[in-house]
Structures are given as structure tokens and as C-alpha cells.
Amino acid sequence: MFKACLAQNSSRFASPSTSSLLHTSAVLNAQKTQKLTSKAKAEIKAEKWRRINANLPSPVFGTRKGEEYKWDKCYLAQILVNEAELSGPPQMTAVELPVGTVQLPSQMGFGVTDTDAEKLFRQLPELSMRTRGSDKGSENEPFAVWAERVAERENRKANTFAKVLDLRNADSDGIAYENKRRIILAFSTPENQFDPGRTEVQAAILTYRIRNLGSHLAKFPRDLGNRLGLRKLVHHRAKILRYLRRKSNERYETLLEQLGLERESVEGELIV
């Protein structure tokens, strides 16, 4: 009788929740609930981080999302080779030289400057004509006929050489070489017109390389080897710009505008 009353009272005071907590399935459900809570916390933290970085400019391209047009207006973008123009029809300019009319390309590759073009297409053919005395066909050939024949030959050589020097015939390395040459000339000082070691020149060359590598990785995101190289270039550029800011804040602000970079894209923690 006493045992029956004790069992009845125990079942009366025991709650369903207490008995369920002692069951194995209840423990598993509690663990699942704890895992979901940790996952939710991680998602909330990630979403908060995305909201914070949503308005920050890209450390690679230097502009905020939707403001890519700023790059096209900056000084660096305007001095670089426009590859879209190279894919179009050739643009040749007729120039009257001592050997006749020569069609010169609008953009020359291989680092040929205006001074070099003057020597190659005006002075060199004229010197070559003077040394063609041994090419005279016969002693009875009039001088005017011989001079015309030699001038025609030099004219063909000059036109062929001009086509070879056209920047349209350059490969990717040739275009990169021409861009770096233009950057050095554009960002050097009047006192030293070709100063590759200047801080502004180094930052501009790094920006050019970073944008090219960033565009490549946007098309091929699985290229992990180049992604590591991109991180190194971004942090190297930030280091150079920090040095310039300590040296002259005015030069630093001017350079950021010329390179089309926002301050937040090169300062603070940079995550690539």
C-alpha cells in the first residue's frame, strides 16, 4: 500500500519536461539548437562586416562600387595605351621626307621617341643615299635616274620599317613596356625627365600592374597564385604611399587624385 502511494505521488509531481530532459533525443536536440545558434551568430557577424565594408573603396581598383568612371578621368588612365584603338583600323600619317612620302604610324612601339623617329626616317635614309655610289648600274647612267632609283629604294625601306615599328604589332610585353615608359616620363620631374626611382613613378607603375592583375583575376577567380602576388603589390603600394604622406602630404594628395585612388583604399587594414 505504501509503495503504491509513493509511485502515485512521484508520477504526479514529475513534469513531462523533466522526464524529457533525461532522454537521449533531448540531449541531441539541445546540441543541434546550440550549433544553429553558433552558425547564426557567425552569419550575423559576417553580415555586419559586409555592411561596414560595403561603402569602402576597393583596395585593388581604388574606387567604390558604382564609381568606376573616376578611373577613366584620372591622369594615369589618360596617358596609358588605349588598346581599343589598337584593335581598330591603322592610323597612318603621311610625312614628306628627303626620300619621298612615308606613312608613319600614330603610335610607335619599342620605346621609339620623336627624336628617334627623326633620326630613323629623316637622317638615316639621307645618309644611306649618299653611300649608294657603288650601286650605280653603269657609268652611262644619268645621275638623275640613279638618284631617283636610290630614293625609291630608300622610300620602300622607310615605309616597311615604319610598319614594323607600329605599336599595333607589339605583343602584351611590348605594350607593357610602352606604358611603363610613358608613366616614367609623365611622373618624373622637369629636372630629371626620366627618373624611374621617384616615389610617384613607383606608385604609378604599381597601380598599373595592380589594375591589370585585378582585371585578370576578375575573369579567372581561381588563379590563386596571382592572387597572392596581387596582395603583395597592394601592400607594397600602400607602403610607398605612406612614405610619401610622411614626406609631403601635398604630393600625397595630388598623387592620389592622379592615380584615381581613394584614401580609404590605401590606408588602414587592406583586405584583398
Side-chain angles (χ1 to χ4, degrees):
M1 184 68 181
F2 177 74
K3 290 182 179 180
C5 294
L6 182 62
Q8 184 177 3
N9 293 332
S10 300
S11 60
R12 182 182 304 173
F13 290 106
S15 62
S17 60
T18 304
S19 60
S20 64
L21 288 175
L22 300 178
H23 200 274
T24 307
S25 60
V27 176
L28 295 176
N29 291 332
Q31 291 179 353
K32 290 182 179 179
T33 306
Q34 186 177 4
K35 289 182 180 180
L36 292 175
T37 304
S38 301
K39 184 177 180 181
K41 289 181 179 179
E43 292 179 354
I44 293 173
K45 186 176 180 180
E47 181 63 25
K48 182 179 179 181
W49 181 256
R50 282 194 293 267
R51 286 198 305 268
I52 293 175
N53 294 333
N55 295 326
L56 292 179
S58 168
V60 176
F61 298 104
T63 56
R64 290 179 172 83
K65 190 175 181 180
E67 297 181 354
E68 291 81 5
Y69 63 90
K70 292 183 178 180
W71 161 253
D72 298 328
K73 297 181 180 180
C74 73
Y75 179 62
L76 178 59
Q78 294 175 0
I79 66 174
L80 295 178
V81 175
N82 188 353
E83 298 186 16
E85 296 179 357
L86 300 180
S87 61
Q91 299 178 0
M92 310 296 286
T93 304
V95 180
E96 291 294 333
L97 299 175
V99 295
T101 303
V102 178
Q103 300 289 335
L104 297 181
S106 59
Q107 300 184 77
M108 293 190 182
F110 305 98
V112 177
T113 62
D114 295 339
T115 304
D116 298 332
E118 178 71 17
K119 295 178 181 179
L120 292 173
F121 296 103
R122 184 178 297 275
Q123 299 178 11
L124 185 61
E126 190 175 358
L127 292 174
S128 181
M129 287 177 60
R130 295 177 183 177
T131 59
R132 290 294 183 180
S134 59
D135 293 346
K136 196 171 182 180
S138 63
E139 297 180 356
N140 298 328
E141 183 181 15
F143 177 79
V145 176
W146 169 83
E148 183 179 356
R149 179 168 58 85
V150 173
E152 183 180 355
R153 180 190 301 173
E154 294 298 327
N155 181 268
R156 290 197 303 268
K157 289 168 57 178
N159 278 285
T160 303
F161 191 46
K163 293 178 182 179
V164 172
L165 293 181
D166 193 349
L167 188 60
R168 292 164 49 86
N169 297 324
D171 57 0
S172 59
D173 292 336
I175 294 177
Y177 176 82
E178 175 64 19
N179 281 328
K180 290 179 182 179
R181 187 187 70 85
R182 293 185 181 187
I183 290 173
I184 295 173
L185 292 175
F187 287 88
S188 296
T189 59
E191 293 78 13
N192 188 359
Q193 298 182 1
F194 198 85
D195 186 8
R198 192 165 185 255
T199 307
E200 286 85 344
V201 174
Q202 291 295 316
I205 292 177
L206 285 173
T207 300
Y208 165 68
R209 294 177 59 189
I210 288 170
R211 290 194 67 89
N212 281 350
L213 201 52
S215 301
H216 167 76
L217 289 174
K219 298 178 182 178
F220 306 99
R222 294 188 178 182
D223 191 352
L224 301 180
N226 280 325
R227 188 171 297 278
L228 176 61
L230 179 63
R231 291 194 186 102
K232 292 181 179 180
L233 291 177
V234 167
H235 289 285
H236 188 197
R237 180 181 64 181
K239 182 178 180 180
I240 290 178
L241 291 174
R242 284 197 301 269
Y243 164 77
L244 182 62
R245 183 179 60 183
R246 291 195 304 266
K247 190 174 181 180
S248 174
N249 189 67
E250 183 179 357
R251 288 171 57 187
Y252 172 74
E253 294 290 346
T254 303
L255 183 61
L256 288 183
E257 183 179 356
Q258 292 177 340
L259 301 182
L261 300 175
E262 300 285 345
R263 292 179 63 99
E264 294 84 354
S265 66
V266 295
E267 297 179 359
E269 184 180 3
L270 303 178
I271 300 176
V272 181

